[in-house]
């Protein structure tokens, strides 16, 4: 069974540009999460989808970040316009259901560098 | 508010030594879940273990063991007879009944031959 996949693995853009990150969860997983780790800091939660609905977006830093999950399958996270402080590693995770015993499985991350 | 503290930034050991990673958590919830993840140099986060707040039984899996103590709000992780392949960043995380994980800052483990 394929794990969580993320694309691209790396992205280097200039300040002010737009970048779109993609996450494909494990097949059949209704729950999809986005996290990020800014250099030297902790891994921080961004948002949580249940199927195509946003269950919790309390971690989204500002309105330059837009996440979508059309059809309840893959998800995209768009940063527009990107700022220097957006640099970091963006992780996606998925889980089968929202039950108490859920375990989130993570993808390899997308390393974003904003110059 | 929830908080996870991993006070050790980096631990360096020589192969075959044991290494213990500390994790202290704070939560007001009576039901919660604790996790350990491993991030090898390749970058992905690999799930290692989940422990429920109502189950304080310690666990051993091969060279890995976990010591969960509610009285001290700790969930420590020990690697016995470390190997070079254990070199990675290890994250402790906390979750309430459902949803987002609260991560610690991570501990870098360096195992040298």
């Amino acid at each position: 069974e394929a794990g969580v996949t993320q694309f691209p693995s790396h992205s280097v853009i200039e300040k002010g540009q737009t970048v779109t990150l993609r996450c494909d969860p494990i097949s059949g997983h209704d729950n999809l999460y986005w996290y990020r780790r800014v250099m030297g800091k902790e891994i921080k939660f961004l948002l949580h989808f249940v199927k195509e609905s946003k269950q919790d977006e309390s971690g989204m830093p500002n309105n330059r970040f837009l996440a979508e999950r059309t059809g309840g399958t893959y998800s995209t996270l768009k940063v527009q316009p990107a700022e220097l402080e957006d640099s970091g590693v963006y992780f996606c995770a998925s889980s089968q259901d929202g039950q108490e015993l859920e375990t989130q499985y993570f993808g390899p991350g997308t390393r974003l560098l904003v110059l | 508010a929830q908080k996870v503290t991993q006070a050790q930034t980096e631990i360096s050991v020589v192969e075959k030594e044991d290494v213990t990673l500390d994790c202290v958590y704070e939560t007001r919830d009576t039901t919660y879940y604790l996790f350990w993840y491993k991030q090898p140099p390749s970058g992905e986060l690999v799930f290692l273990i989940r422990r429920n707040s109502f189950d304080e039984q310690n666990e051993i899996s091969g060279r890995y063991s976990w010591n969960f103590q509610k009285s001290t709000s700790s969930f420590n992780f020990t690697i016995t007879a470390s190997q070079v392949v254990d070199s990675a960043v290890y994250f402790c995380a906390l979750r309430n009944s459902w949803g987002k994980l609260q991560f610690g800052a991570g501990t870098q483990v360096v195992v040298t031959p």
Side-chain angles (χ1 to χ4, degrees):
Chain A
E1 179 180 313
V4 177
T5 58
Q6 294 186 244
F7 182 84
S9 58
H10 295 80
S11 180
V12 181
I13 62 173
E14 293 187 352
K15 176 182 174 181
Q17 290 186 323
T18 297
V19 63
T20 300
L21 314 180
R22 172 171 170 145
C23 169
D24 286 78
I26 294 172
S27 178
H29 281 196
D30 287 339
N31 292 272
L32 188 148
Y33 301 82
W34 284 98
Y35 295 83
R36 75 172 178 177
R37 189 183 192 198
V38 173
M39 182 66 69
K41 299 292 183 68
E42 299 168 359
I43 300 172
K44 292 285 192 181
F45 166 81
L46 295 177
L47 88 158
H48 170 202
F49 283 100
V50 177
K51 296 184 180 179
E52 67 273 12
S53 299
K54 294 177 182 176
Q55 178 70 29
D56 180 357
E57 52 185 329
S58 61
M60 295 289 266
N62 51 61
N63 59 10
R64 295 186 295 104
F65 289 76
L66 175 63
E68 295 180 324
R69 192 182 183 197
T70 305
T73 54
Y74 71 91
S75 174
T76 58
L77 179 64
K78 179 188 290 187
V79 185
Q80 178 182 28
E83 298 290 344
L84 299 179
E85 63 264 26
D86 300 331
S87 296
V89 181
Y90 289 76
F91 290 102
C92 175
S94 72
S95 67
Q96 188 166 21
D97 56 37
Q99 301 302 312
E100 293 184 343
L101 297 181
E102 71 146 21
T103 293
Q104 296 175 26
Y105 296 94
F106 283 77
T110 293
R111 283 146 189 80
L112 173 65
L113 179 60
V114 182
L115 301 175
Chain B
Q2 298 187 121
K3 184 178 180 181
V4 177
T5 301
Q6 294 180 257
Q8 304 149 307
T9 303
E10 180 171 328
I11 301 175
S12 294
V13 297
V14 177
E15 210 170 17
K16 297 185 182 179
E17 289 184 340
D18 297 347
V19 57
T20 295
L21 311 180
D22 298 332
C23 173
V24 175
Y25 62 92
E26 297 176 26
T27 181
R28 295 182 179 179
D29 295 328
T30 55
T31 300
Y32 53 88
Y33 301 83
L34 295 161
F35 300 79
W36 277 96
Y37 285 86
K38 172 183 179 181
Q39 185 183 34
S42 51
E44 74 275 20
L45 285 166
V46 178
F47 166 73
L48 295 178
I49 189 172
R50 179 190 67 234
R51 175 61 68 209
N52 312 321
S53 57
F54 43 86
D55 181 4
E56 287 192 72
Q57 187 173 9
N58 293 327
E59 184 159 337
I60 297 174
S61 176
R63 295 184 298 105
Y64 294 171
S65 62
W66 290 270
N67 183 1
F68 175 32
Q69 292 192 337
K70 288 181 73 172
S71 60
T72 56
S73 297
S74 65
F75 185 41
N76 297 336
F77 172 31
T78 297
I79 303 172
T80 302
S82 61
Q83 299 176 1
V84 173
V85 293
D86 296 326
S87 295
V89 181
Y90 291 84
F91 292 95
C92 181
L94 169 69
R95 197 194 81 219
N96 58 16
S97 58
W98 185 41
K100 60 188 175 185
L101 293 169
Q102 177 75 41
F103 283 89
T107 298
Q108 172 79 57
V109 173
V110 179
V111 182
T112 54

